[in-house]
Amino acid sequence: FTANIALISNSCAIYRAAPNNPDEIAGLHNATLSVSAETNMDARFILAVIMQESNGCVRVPTSFYSVRNPGLMQSHNGPATCNENGTPAYPCPYITIEEMIREGTAGTPWETGLGLVEALRQATGSVDDVGRYYRAARIYNSGSVDASGNLEAGVATHCYASDVANWLTGWVLAEDGCDGGGMRMLPWGERGLL
């Protein structure tokens, strides 16, 4: 988390919203740990998805594609946000920060609201297979992994899994995107370090 504080502190600038204040940053950290304990989901994975989806801006706008995607994790059709209809809330209350993270991790109250927990359950592979997290990231972003196993194929953000991998390996200011050559997840022993 510490490696991301400078980015989180300034992440709202691209949305022309007030920067995260120290209480909101502390709330983001505490809520990530709280939801991690509540859902048994690795806090590092939660944070990587937060950084991928919003760079930690608590006032990130809601995106609208096939459904509403609000909040820090751009959850599937969730209600929690500190930027409703283009009106950023300041300050963003801790309870809302925690709910944004809960919706993205545990899923939304609606039966179609896939969260990280369900995405990881759907990701194939053994419990020891770190590739499950990359497949889960792809499922979280698009709803599925392409039948080819290529995590860049199909709909949604093609480089999502590789971007999440960069966040997980500490590339805080890594360039977004990938070369388009395809990131196919191999068994751990065949791929080495990411």
Side-chain angles (χ1 to χ4, degrees):
F1 188 86
T2 303
N4 295 287
I5 289 177
L7 181 57
I8 291 169
S9 297
N10 297 302
S11 61
C12 295
I14 62 172
Y15 306 116
R16 295 192 173 114
N20 293 332
N21 68 41
D23 289 339
E24 292 167 335
I25 294 169
L28 174 60
H29 181 247
N30 294 335
T32 300
L33 295 176
S34 174
V35 172
S36 170
E38 169 186 312
T39 60
N40 201 30
M41 178 60 61
D42 192 313
R44 296 167 296 185
F45 189 44
I46 296 170
L47 181 61
V49 171
I50 289 170
M51 298 307 292
Q52 176 64 21
E53 292 289 351
S54 66
N55 283 333
C57 175
V58 298
R59 283 171 278 287
V60 63
T62 298
S63 61
F64 293 91
Y65 295 102
S66 58
V67 297
R68 166 188 162 94
N69 301 112
L72 285 159
M73 298 176 74
Q74 299 286 279
S75 69
H76 183 99
N77 208 20
T81 182
C82 276
N83 190 337
E84 190 67 56
N85 298 318
T87 305
Y90 190 86
C92 183
Y94 175 81
I95 193 166
T96 305
I97 293 170
E98 186 176 51
E99 189 58 26
M100 287 188 276
I101 296 171
R102 183 175 292 110
E103 288 173 6
T105 304
T108 57
W110 326 120
E111 53 186 76
T112 59
L114 178 94
L116 290 179
V117 171
E118 178 61 19
L120 188 61
R121 189 193 68 72
Q122 289 180 21
T124 58
S126 71
V127 173
D128 297 347
D129 179 10
V130 71
R132 285 182 62 222
Y133 285 91
Y134 306 126
R135 288 187 288 279
R138 183 65 180 154
I139 291 167
Y140 182 81
N141 178 246
S142 67
S144 64
V145 172
D146 189 77
S148 70
N150 182 340
L151 298 179
E152 294 173 7
V155 299
T157 305
H158 292 178
C159 299
Y160 196 89
S162 61
D163 288 345
V164 167
N166 285 337
W167 288 112
L168 286 168
T169 58
W171 287 25
V172 175
L173 297 174
E175 285 187 35
D176 260 352
C178 45
D179 65 10
M183 180 183 179
R184 186 177 176 90
M185 296 310 303
L186 301 172
W188 177 251
E190 293 180 37
R191 84 171 160 263
L193 297 175
L194 293 174

